[in-house]
Amino acid sequence: MKRRGLLIILSSPSGAGKSTLAGRLRAWDDSLRFSVSATTREPREGEVDGKDYFFVTTEDFQAQVGAGDMLEHARVFGNYYGSPRTPVQAAIDEGRDVLFDIDWQGAQQISKSALRDHVLSIFILPPSIPELHRRLVSRGQDDVETIERRMQKSWDEISHWDGYDYVMVNDNLDETEERLKTIISAERLRASQQPALMTHVRMLQTQFEER
Ligand code: ADP
Ligand code: 5GP
């Protein structure tokens, strides 16, 4: 039966594991779409334009915001980030879920938008602050100053944990993955995600009345 797609928002302080978990979710269900954000920050080594982000100028970014093309947008670490609206709307209309890796400001905006009935927001907490630091170091992606900046910013993100539908501590990776899959599977069955139910129930009613 055709259903509507969910907007699945994953937020966490940097290093808590959301990219790793998003990758596992996409391996689990390849119909999941990833919302590719636009950003004014410089690409990092290995990042691909159009896949990791749409790398745009500040002028282009502001023009898109002005035209209403962003579902949400925010300034993070001194750069602008935003989620383009059109691909999200197309995916959920086709019944595909869309994953967002965005910060608390974006999560709040989408949760208040016209699409709010289709939002599933999840916050990932680290088991401890030393473990968060260890993960940032072990990822091997950032220099010492960048890691320190991310650690400084982590409390700002963590302090918004209670604005989310679900919160989980990413201690054991396999367990967190299983919990995420359980939540997504359950949320897909929300009545508001299944507009085709009405037709099915009408068919049941006809059969009931004709028996
Ligand atoms: P984020 O996307 O939130 O910044 P990442 O997914 O890049 O975080 O994870 C940061 C680092 O921590 C990566 O090296 C990843 O392999 C590791 N990691 C993620 N989850 C766990 C976990 N539950 N236990 C141990 N290491 C983890
Ligand atoms: P990074 O520059 O490390 O890729 O991302 C920095 C932060 O920006 C992360 O917390 C990430 O979740 C957030 N972010 C990425 N894209 C978006 C977006 O489109 N909107 C918002 N609000 N935050 C974003």
Side-chain angles (χ1 to χ4, degrees), residues 118-151:
H118 310 291
V119 171
L120 163 57
S121 65
I122 304 165
F123 197 87
I124 312 286
L125 286 168
S128 69
I129 298 298
E131 172 63 11
L132 182 67
H133 186 257
R134 195 196 65 74
R135 287 184 191 173
L136 283 172
V137 173
S138 76
R139 184 165 70 183
Q141 182 188 292
D142 302 316
D143 57 31
V144 174
E145 292 91 72
T146 309
I147 289 177
E148 190 44 41
R149 208 154 44 88
R150 291 187 188 280
M151 287 301 293

Side-chain angles (χ1 to χ4, degrees), residues 174-193:
D174 291 339
E175 278 176 20
T176 311
E177 179 188 349
E178 284 312 309
R179 288 188 193 131
L180 279 174
K181 291 179 189 169
T182 303
I183 291 169
I184 293 170
S185 301
E187 293 279 328
R188 284 174 172 170
L189 296 174
R190 251 196 249 166
S192 57
Q193 294 308 114

